[in-house]
């Protein structure tokens, strides 16, 4: 099934859009390209894929609640941050975004 320019005009009308002739032609091509991708997906063989999310036996393993916390999760985030102000990580601005301004634009 392909989308016609008349169908694109109808969809545009329902969306209260007023595309010109060139936009109608472009949108028709884009919608037909999307439909071709969907048809390609429909042709894929997806029968019997191996379950790789939960391992080979389908069992879900959880972290042992009795384990001691490691150094990466112990404490507050600011304890490991190079610059932490008022509950926020402070990162330097990119020079390209400065636009020549010298004011401090760090966290509040």
């Amino acid at each position: 099934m392909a989308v016609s320019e008349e169908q694109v005009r109808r969809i545009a009308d329902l969306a209260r859009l007023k595309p010109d002739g060139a936009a109608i032609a472009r949108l028709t091509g884009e919608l037909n390209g999307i439909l071709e991708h969907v048809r390609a997906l429909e042709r894929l063989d997806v029968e019997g894929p191996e379950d790789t999310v939960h391992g080979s036996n389908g069992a879900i393993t959880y972290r042992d609640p009795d384990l001691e916390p490691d150094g990466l999760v112990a404490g507050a985030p600011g304890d490991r941050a190079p610059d932490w102000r008022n509950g926020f990580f402070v990162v330097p601005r990119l020079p390209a975004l400065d636009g020549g301004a010298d004011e401090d634009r760090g966290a509040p």
Side-chain angles (χ1 to χ4, degrees):
M1 167 190 260
V3 175
S4 69
E5 287 190 1
E6 182 56 39
Q7 289 171 317
V8 171
R9 282 188 191 88
R10 175 74 176 127
I11 293 168
D13 188 48
L14 290 171
R16 297 183 179 164
L17 300 173
K18 305 289 184 214
D20 60 14
I24 292 287
R26 182 181 49 80
L27 290 169
T28 302
E30 289 178 4
L31 287 172
N32 282 316
I34 291 169
L35 290 175
E36 184 53 41
H37 286 291
V38 170
R39 283 191 284 278
L41 291 173
E42 288 175 340
R43 292 189 295 265
L44 289 176
D45 179 16
V46 293
E47 291 299 318
E50 181 181 331
D51 183 6
T52 57
V53 174
H54 300 296
S56 60
N57 64 0
I60 299 173
T61 57
Y62 296 97
R63 186 174 189 272
D64 184 354
D66 297 327
L67 289 176
E68 292 293 322
D70 59 29
L72 292 177
V73 295
D79 296 345
R80 295 176 299 282
D83 194 357
W84 179 262
R85 280 187 254 157
N86 301 324
F88 292 95
F89 291 103
V90 180
V91 295
R93 284 188 56 84
L94 296 172
L97 299 177
D98 280 338
D102 291 332
E103 64 186 78
D104 181 359
R105 296 188 182 164

